Amino acid sequence: LFSFQMCAKILEVAGKLNMDEYSFFLRGGLAQIYNPCISWMADSSWEKITELSELHNFNGISSSFEQYSQDWNLWFTSAEPENAALPGLYMLWEKMLVVRSLRQDRVSFCVTSFIVNNLGSRFVEPPVLNMKAVSESTCRTPLIFVLSPGVDPTGALLQLAEASGMSKHFHALSLGQGQAPIAKRMIEEGQWVFLANCHLSLSWMPDLDKLVEQLQVQKPHSNFRLWLSSSPHPDFPITILQAGIKMTTEPPKGVKANMKRLYQLVTETQFNRCSRPVFYRKLLFSLCFFHSILLERKKFLQLGWNIVYGFNDSDFEVRVSESLLSLYLDEYEEIPWDALKYLIAGVNYGGHVTDDWDRLFLSCTIVYKYNFISLTLYSRFSVRLSPLTSYYIPRDGPQASYKEYISMLPSTEHPEVFGQHPNADIASQIAETRTLFETLLSLQPQVTSPTTAGAGPSREDKMCCCNMCLCLSSSLVELEKGIKGLVVMSSSLEETFHCIYDGRVPPLWEKAYPSLKPLAAWTRDLCQRVNQFAHWAEMVQPPNLFWLSGFTFPNGFLTAVLQSYARQHNLFVINIFFQSCMQNVPSLLLLVSLNTPHPHPTPQDGVFIRGLYLEGAGWDKRNSCLLEAEPMQMVCPIPTIHFKPVENRKKMGKSELIQTFFLEFPHCIPLTKLPTRYYYKRGALVCCSLFNVDKQATN
């Protein structure tokens, strides 16, 4: 991100960057035109292609999709489209714009190549933090760690103190309630002082600010150093930031990079400390891989974890590698595998986990999926840790042999290493691309230069054109007056101006209904929502088929359905729940316009719902069951669902609900044919094994 921003500015000053094309690269398209490749291209992608064709170097690109649709489809479905030839002659920068329009998941790879071609490869390689160079500061200069998720500088700082001969004079304190007097006394006593998590003691930060000011006046001992760590926070004193040296480290991407970093934290003494060296070293390698898997699963968002957890190096360093493993291997003749599994999966890492499904997945991963802690790890010379052949525990040897094996691992991991479908990796790369564009847009200058003769339309001129295409509202009318200078531009109007120019939904408009979609798609949805409720009001009776996505608060609508059923049958609403049944005739209902009566009769109880999607799996319409998603299929539309209210005679636990799922769905495919990558995430295989559900019962 930083290198690309710097590269773009250098090329802009040199006059080598077409700013109209750069603006398109950041913002994409807003046009709303018929999509000729609807079978394989999303409407949002076609919007970008349509607007891209208006640029000078891309004239006729939209018409080429109708002439060479098969060639474009072949390029679109390729594994590495940034390296494949386009149906036309385009340079690297021009190809980036096409990739940005059609394959957002590959934008980061294009950006990397763009930086390498213009600045060099060293600008895309993360630098290693040299703590010894940092320690050459003065006694008056505080050293501030800006914390990143997944990184804890304590271990590296302890190693630096030991290497500098200051381990006996090193004092660390985690700030919090009641720790301020202790921290003040430690600073006054001198030596090396490390105050961690300053963001948890913001009320004491003004006092710390005064202590730092005194360091500039007084003459502390030459060996004195003040180390601070804090998460980014607007209330952190600016004067401390100005007086100190700021540094930050981010966890490297990939299992290989994380394992390499973890082995750098393990000293030779720690590596050989256990009385059972072979068991300890193999188990240590297994847990390094396990820790890296947990960290990297965050990139899959909700497909990786339901909640993003703050796993960091301290979970691996002190509690696991140094304490638990060596203690249990040294003290017990028979290795207590069950105790190790519980302490690591249930207590150490499980202490972060608050979601029940995530906790089940964590136990499943360490016990069943990868079998990280088991006697089988030592029954053979090398044990596989993944379905892929590249990942296994190597033969025992010195620490250098383990590091050498790690350096031979693939630089980029296949999603199957994490138990994920290839589409999950695409979804994570698209999310990374969105973050890239959002950040770059926030860094763009917001001031419009005076219009010169021959120059293109200004931001204000473009905004007036946008107003002609969008439905007018009071905010748009006021915005147009503000652009013309008839009214004063308030902060809310200015924010609306920048959002529309960037193709984002203004926060003021999100009050109508929240959405993560860009402005063009949001506007289409708004029109469909209005049509649905207008038709409902015109017919003076509820429709036969409800578009659930059209409701601002779907939970309220479903609660109203339950309340209506409870009144009809004289029941308590708390004793009613929904029984969901997939309908086998979704195509007839979905093709019907919102403005025409539905041919399907109204259900006797409940409602018919459309507009829901599956993420992480596909849907077999013929057999009414889950299956693996098609390549490049991020979400799969679910057929019409009948939400039928039924009386809940007793409150079922989670285990009973899972049993009920297998008993009430007669079309479920056999357990052996389930999409395993998806169900490992949801824990169904573990639950089935616990309930002793055999193939016959599952059918």
Side-chain angles (χ1 to χ4, degrees):
L1 172 64
F2 175 73
S3 298
F4 179 75
Q5 172 74 356
M6 183 170 57
C7 181
K9 287 296 180 183
I10 291 174
L11 295 178
E12 178 185 352
V13 173
K16 298 180 180 179
L17 187 64
N18 187 316
M19 296 310 297
D20 289 336
E21 295 178 351
Y22 183 63
S23 177
F24 173 85
F25 180 73
L26 297 181
R27 295 174 174 85
L30 294 174
Q32 300 183 35
I33 301 177
Y34 170 72
N35 182 4
C37 305
I38 191 66
S39 60
W40 57 270
M41 188 194 306
D43 289 340
S44 58
S45 298
W46 180 246
E47 292 168 2
K48 298 180 180 67
I49 290 296
T50 304
E51 189 156 325
L52 182 63
S53 64
E54 297 179 2
L55 299 178
H56 175 70
N57 294 328
F58 295 90
N59 290 334
I61 188 174
S62 57
S63 59
S64 69
F65 278 83
E66 300 179 6
Q67 300 176 8
Y68 309 104
S69 177
Q70 187 174 358
D71 295 338
W72 277 109
N73 186 19
L74 186 64
W75 177 86
F76 176 78
T77 55
S78 61
E80 298 180 354
E82 70 278 5
N83 298 325
L86 285 169
L89 298 176
Y90 297 100
M91 305 297 290
L92 174 60
W93 168 250
E94 296 169 346
K95 180 183 283 190
M96 284 179 61
L97 301 185
V98 179
V99 173
R100 190 258 188 271
S101 302
L102 298 179
R103 289 289 303 271
Q104 286 196 35
D105 57 301
R106 308 302 296 182
V107 167
S108 59
F109 299 94
C110 289
V111 168
T112 300
S113 301
F114 182 73
I115 297 170
V116 171
N117 288 344
N118 288 279
L119 298 181
S121 59
R122 67 189 184 95
F123 284 88
V124 295
E125 298 171 356
V128 179
L129 179 63
N130 187 355
M131 296 292 290
K132 291 184 178 180
V134 173
S135 66
E136 296 177 357
S137 59
T138 65
C139 56
R140 294 187 175 91
T141 307
L143 300 107
I144 308 165
F145 289 102
V146 182
L147 297 178
S148 299
V151 173
D152 185 0
T154 307
L157 198 52
L158 286 171
Q159 288 186 357
L160 176 64
E162 186 174 350
S164 305
M166 295 295 295
S167 57
K168 296 181 179 180
H169 305 284
F170 179 80
H171 306 283
L173 178 67
S174 181
L175 292 178
Q177 187 174 6
Q179 302 298 315
I182 303 175
K184 182 178 179 181
R185 186 172 63 252
M186 291 169 57
I187 295 176
E188 292 173 349
E189 290 176 357
Q191 306 304 324
W192 277 25
V193 179
F194 175 46
L195 303 180
N197 301 324
C198 292
H199 58 281
L200 300 180
S201 186
L202 293 173
S203 60
W204 186 66
M205 286 299 101
D207 296 334
L208 178 61
D209 192 7
K210 295 178 182 178
L211 293 174
V212 172
E213 288 181 4
Q214 292 177 5
L215 293 178
Q216 314 304 318
V217 180
Q218 300 174 354
K219 187 177 181 182
H221 193 277
S222 59
N223 289 335
F224 172 76
R225 292 293 184 275
L226 177 60
W227 306 81
L228 307 173
S229 72
S230 175
S231 294
H233 198 282
D235 294 337
F236 191 89
I238 297 178
T239 52
I240 298 181
L241 292 175
Q242 293 173 340
I245 296 176
K246 283 76 64 180
M247 65 201 92
T248 185
T249 56
E250 295 180 350
K253 293 183 180 180
V255 173
K256 176 181 178 180
N258 273 286
M259 292 189 69
K260 187 181 295 186
R261 177 177 57 88
L262 291 175
Y263 263 81
Q264 293 294 335
L265 299 176
V266 180
T267 63
E268 192 71 30
T269 304
Q270 295 169 347
F271 189 74
N272 299 304
R273 62 178 294 184
C274 186
S275 60
R276 297 181 179 181
V278 177
F279 278 15
Y280 174 75
R281 291 195 286 255
K282 287 197 171 185
L283 192 54
L284 179 65
F285 183 90
S286 176
L287 287 172
C288 274
F289 186 74
F290 173 70
H291 182 82
S292 303
I293 288 289
L294 295 188
L295 290 180
E296 283 298 296
R297 279 187 69 92
K298 290 189 292 187
K299 72 179 183 179
F300 297 110
L301 304 178
Q302 279 70 32
L303 293 179
W305 297 100
N306 287 333
I307 301 173
V308 178
Y309 301 105
F311 299 121
N312 54 49
D313 295 344
S314 62
D315 297 314
F316 173 82
E317 294 167 13
V318 179
R319 305 175 199 168
V320 178
S321 65
E322 296 185 13
S323 299
L324 290 180
L325 299 187
S326 59
L327 175 65
Y328 278 80
L329 292 177
D330 287 338
E331 298 294 331
Y332 295 88
E333 292 184 7
E334 231 178 273
I335 301 176
W337 298 109
D338 291 336
L340 280 174
K341 292 173 184 176
Y342 174 75
L343 287 173
I344 293 173
V347 178
N348 185 45
Y349 289 96
H352 293 279
V353 179
T354 56
D355 183 82
D356 291 339
W357 289 113
D358 288 340
R359 186 180 296 275
L360 186 60
F361 161 75
L362 189 64
S363 302
C364 164
T365 302
I366 200 167
V367 178
Y368 298 102
K369 180 72 167 76
Y370 295 102
N371 206 12
F372 286 109
I373 305 176
S374 172
L375 187 62
T376 57
L377 290 176
Y378 316 106
S379 60
R380 291 174 288 176
F381 287 109
S382 60
V383 179
R384 289 173 59 180
L385 291 172
S386 166
L388 301 180
T389 58
S390 304
Y391 300 92
Y392 58 88
I393 299 179
R395 296 187 179 187
D396 184 50
Q399 186 176 9
S401 65
Y402 285 90
K403 292 183 178 179
E404 182 181 359
Y405 167 76
I406 294 173
S407 64
M408 296 170 60
L409 292 175
S411 299
T412 57
E413 293 84 20
H414 192 274
E416 195 170 0
V417 177
F418 308 94
Q420 293 282 4
H421 191 275
N423 287 353
D425 196 32
I426 296 174
S428 68
Q429 291 168 355
I430 291 176
E432 182 181 349
T433 300
R434 288 175 179 168
T435 304
L436 174 73
F437 289 139
E438 289 173 1
T439 311
L440 288 172
L441 279 173
S442 67
L443 297 174
Q444 299 309 301
Q446 306 296 330
V447 179
T448 303
S449 58
T451 305
T452 57
S458 64
R459 293 163 58 96
E460 288 77 7
D461 296 335
K462 292 180 180 180
M463 277 297 306
C464 290
C465 297
C466 288
N467 285 358
M468 298 299 294
C469 303
L470 294 172
C471 55
L472 291 178
S473 66
S474 59
S475 61
L476 282 176
V477 173
E478 289 296 313
L479 178 59
E480 190 170 8
K481 291 180 179 179
I483 293 174
K484 296 178 179 179
L486 301 178
V487 297
V488 178
M489 287 282 285
S490 62
S491 58
S492 60
L493 283 180
E494 188 175 0
E495 185 179 32
T496 302
F497 172 84
H498 295 309
C499 287
I500 297 178
Y501 183 79
D502 294 337
R504 296 180 288 117
V505 181
L508 183 64
W509 295 5
E510 287 183 347
K511 294 180 180 179
Y513 72 96
S515 175
L516 298 177
K517 292 185 177 181
L519 181 59
W522 183 89
T523 307
R524 283 198 304 270
D525 279 358
L526 178 63
C527 296
Q528 293 182 23
R529 288 166 182 263
V530 172
N531 290 339
Q532 174 175 242
F533 291 110
H535 177 66
W536 188 349
E538 181 182 347
M539 299 299 295
V540 200
Q541 62 180 3
N544 299 342
L545 178 64
F546 290 90
W547 178 41
L548 192 63
S549 306
F551 290 90
T552 303
F553 187 56
N555 290 358
F557 167 73
L558 295 177
T559 302
V561 175
L562 292 178
Q563 291 173 341
S564 176
Y565 180 84
R567 285 193 296 267
Q568 291 177 7
H569 297 82
N570 197 22
L571 299 172
F572 292 105
V573 69
I574 58 174
N575 295 332
I576 304 173
F577 72 102
F578 279 119
Q579 187 180 60
S580 306
C581 304
M582 298 289 186
Q583 302 299 297
N584 293 325
V585 287
S587 57
L588 181 62
L589 293 175
L590 292 178
L591 291 175
V592 176
S593 171
L594 288 171
N595 296 323
T596 58
H598 300 300
H600 199 281
T602 304
Q604 183 176 0
D605 294 319
V607 290
F608 287 119
I609 295 296
R610 71 177 183 93
L612 299 181
Y613 295 85
L614 278 172
E615 183 181 15
W619 182 258
D620 188 342
K621 297 180 181 178
R622 177 176 299 178
N623 299 314
S624 296
C625 62
L626 292 173
L627 45 69
E628 294 283 10
E630 296 292 331
M632 295 296 298
Q633 185 185 38
M634 299 296 101
V635 293
C636 173
I638 300 179
T640 302
I641 305 176
H642 181 197
F643 277 68
K644 181 181 180 181
V646 294
E647 185 179 2
N648 187 9
R649 294 180 177 83
K650 67 171 186 175
K651 186 177 181 180
M652 292 189 294
K654 186 171 292 185
S655 60
E656 294 175 289
L657 287 173
I658 297 175
Q659 284 181 309
T660 305
F661 168 82
F662 285 103
L663 294 175
E664 292 189 357
F665 280 76
H667 297 293
C668 275
I669 54 182
L671 187 63
T672 55
K673 296 183 180 179
L674 285 173
T676 55
R677 298 186 189 91
Y678 181 80
Y679 274 93
Y680 274 127
K681 167 68 173 67
R682 293 302 173 191
L685 289 181
V686 179
C687 294
C688 294
S689 65
L690 294 176
F691 302 144
N692 296 319
V693 180
D694 58 11
K695 187 181 296 186
Q696 182 179 358
T698 307
N699 285 327

